[in-house]
Amino acid sequence: MKQIIDLLKEKNKTISTMESCTGGGVANAITNIEGASEVLRYSAVTYSNEYKIKMGVDEKIIDKYSVYSMETAIEMAKNISNFANSNIGVGITGKLNRVDINNPYGEDNVVFITIYDKDNDKYYNYKVEATKGSRKENKELVIDKIKEELVKII
């Protein structure tokens, strides 16, 4: 994550995250690095549909595609970037080792990630199979994927 922080500083860019299943893990990894306050604008953990919607995710997208979809991740990434006026927005939604009785649709054990580059209005979409044994291991798998892709994008 230090490399990502350094790249963001070097390019005078900022980042924001809207996380669901990772529970703030990406923001935590960012803030573990000295100087993160210079690049991290805002982070929201929107575990419920209600708060995804309050943060700008279109309810119609959730209704049509499910909360566990690339379309929802795209909405999360773009809306957090716009909300915080950051150059990069990261949206993460998915199911880790459990069935969600409140949202029965969407693939099990799959995480949808979007990294939104606001400056170029470009979306980078990733789908991660959450196949590790524990929730913690699956969160780490997702966070590692985000780190890997952010280095390429920034």
Side-chain angles (χ1 to χ4, degrees), residues 46-140:
T46 55
Y47 226 55
S48 69
N49 293 6
E50 175 187 1
Y51 280 89
K52 285 177 184 69
I53 293 164
K54 284 186 180 195
M55 289 299 299
V57 174
D58 188 338
E59 186 173 4
K60 292 175 188 159
I61 295 289
I62 293 173
D63 290 344
K64 182 174 182 179
Y65 298 101
S66 108
V67 70
Y68 305 118
S69 65
M70 192 60 72
E71 292 80 5
T72 297
I74 289 167
E75 285 275 302
M76 292 169 74
K78 184 173 185 176
N79 281 291
I80 199 65
S81 176
N82 288 336
F83 178 84
N85 194 27
S86 63
N87 306 95
I88 305 286
V90 180
I92 309 154
T93 185
K95 295 184 192 181
L96 298 175
N97 301 75
R98 71 178 291 271
V99 174
D100 181 350
I101 58 169
N102 295 316
N103 294 290
Y105 306 104
E107 296 178 65
D108 292 336
N109 300 317
V110 174
V111 177
F112 300 93
I113 303 162
T114 296
I115 299 172
Y116 176 59
D117 175 353
K118 185 177 181 178
D119 298 333
N120 297 301
D121 194 30
K122 186 162 182 177
Y123 299 87
Y124 299 87
N125 300 315
Y126 311 95
K127 188 173 167 180
V128 176
E129 301 285 330
T131 56
K132 299 288 184 182
S134 71
R135 287 181 66 81
K136 182 178 180 190
E137 289 172 308
N138 281 313
K139 284 181 180 185
E140 289 169 1

